Amino acid sequence: MIYFDKVCKIYSNSVALEDVTFTVLPGEFISIVGHSGAGKTTLLKMILAEDCPTSGNVYFDSVDIHKVSKGKLPLLRRRIGSVFQDFRLLPNKTAYENIAFTMEASGRPDDEIKSDIPHVLELVGLGGKLANFPHELSGGERQRLAIARAIINQPDLLIADEPTGNLDPINTAEIIEIFKKINQIGTTVILTTHNKKVIDSLGRRVITLDQGRVVRDDKEGKYAL
Amino acid sequence: MVWINIKRILKLGFVNFWRNGLVSVASVFAMTITLFAIGSIYLGTNFLNSALSEVKNKVDISIAFKLDAPEDQIVALQKDLTLLPEVKEVVYSSKDQELTAFRARHQDNAVLIGSLDEVGNPFGARLNIRAVDPTQYEKIARFIGTKNDPSTGGGNIIDQVSYKKDVVDKMADLINTSQRVGWAVALVLALLSIFAVFNTISLAIYTSREEISVMRLVGAGNPYVKGPFMIEGVIAGVIASLLALILLYPSVLWVRDTTVGVYGGINLVSFYFSNFGIILVLLLGSGILLGLLASYWAVRRYAKI
């Protein structure tokens, strides 16, 4: 589904990614671990076409992501749901509107928007928070809202960049449970994290980055830093 | 599908305009000033033009005849002049009529009237000529010159020919200049307001950078990200043009009240109402254009995430 082919990324003087090659199969749940600055976020930015590689290619279902025209990029991004450590919600929109915006942008009809949003908010445990603005929600609730937004368009791939970085252990465990459920229904999940407990409890494939290079790729990996 | 998208972009534009509060007010304010200037200049131009034509209508060539000029020669000249295609009207005023008119004009001046009684009638007869077009006065004046020249068979009966061409020319020049200056001022104001609106909308976009990047990440296309900002510009333009239209009314009242003594014939207030549609379209069109231009530039510059 995702294929990194000898990807390098150099920012002015520092090397963020160096000769990174790996493949993600459909339905996989992959964790990417590494110290701060190891290149985890850069790697995810490549998949979202937020950044271009200096050399090498990144493919999404055999399409070179960085050769997709600007006009067609939104179509590609609609197939990817993304969740971030800082949530990146729209502050001036309620929980309902935050999700509705994503659906509207992808051209979903009004009746579908009305029926799906309460359902997905229920799914992430935010059933009664439809009319709340992000600043009225706790950290854990905001991240659930971000996940709800990420999965509303039933993406093929879910990217989560340090999604539990700002959360307490209970919320962390609950969020990871939600990711597992999403993966169970067939969505591919790529997760970056610092959290040893999370990685060890998952028991799934782990790619370890160090100074921009892939140093380990274990099928049922543990946190090894 | 397209209609749903347009509806959603419109809705987002309205919601953003409302939620942006002060920034929206600032844009409207900047645009109102420019649109008011454009409206004032449009009204001013028409006001000056009608004032000019009013004055042109009052201008004529006046021939003062010598005291001893025989009336039959004067009447003959009047006939000749009437036959000219450039001449609209020739009015004969006899010596006695001139005296009566003078007495009427100066009836309050006892000294003048008293001295008139002593010297008798000092006025010669007059012909007042009105041309079809004020630019033809010179031609008519030349014709009169040949009629008065004994060497070309003229009667040498004319004392003086006066026509107020200089006044008209000066006034036309003045009006032309003031119109040019007016439009230049409007242009400068328009540029300033585009800049001001550009800045306020840039500010809105700058504060929404994070939001725009999120929109892009969830797969919103260009029309979805940029459209609402353009709509905001248009809304600001429409509100500003309506405000400018309302503000013009008291200004028009003021101009009418202060100039009624000078130009009795022109009523700017009735001009405002009879041309309300044109003024509305002019201001609305300029407002929408200003708003669109300013937001287009701002969006191009700041919404590139």
Side-chain angles (χ1 to χ4, degrees), chain A residues 140-151:
Chain A
E141 286 171 334
R142 283 184 221 180
Q143 198 57 293
R144 287 160 202 259
L145 177 56
I147 294 170
R149 181 184 66 186
I151 60 172

Side-chain angles (χ1 to χ4, degrees), chain A residues 77-78 90 92 108 110, chain B residues 8 19 211 214 216 219 224:
Chain A
R77 284 176 173 157
R78 283 174 209 163
L90 301 173
N92 291 329
R108 305 268 293 273
D110 287 340
Chain B
R8 285 172 179 170
R19 286 187 183 166
E211 228 174 302
V214 174
R216 294 255 191 245
Y224 243 85

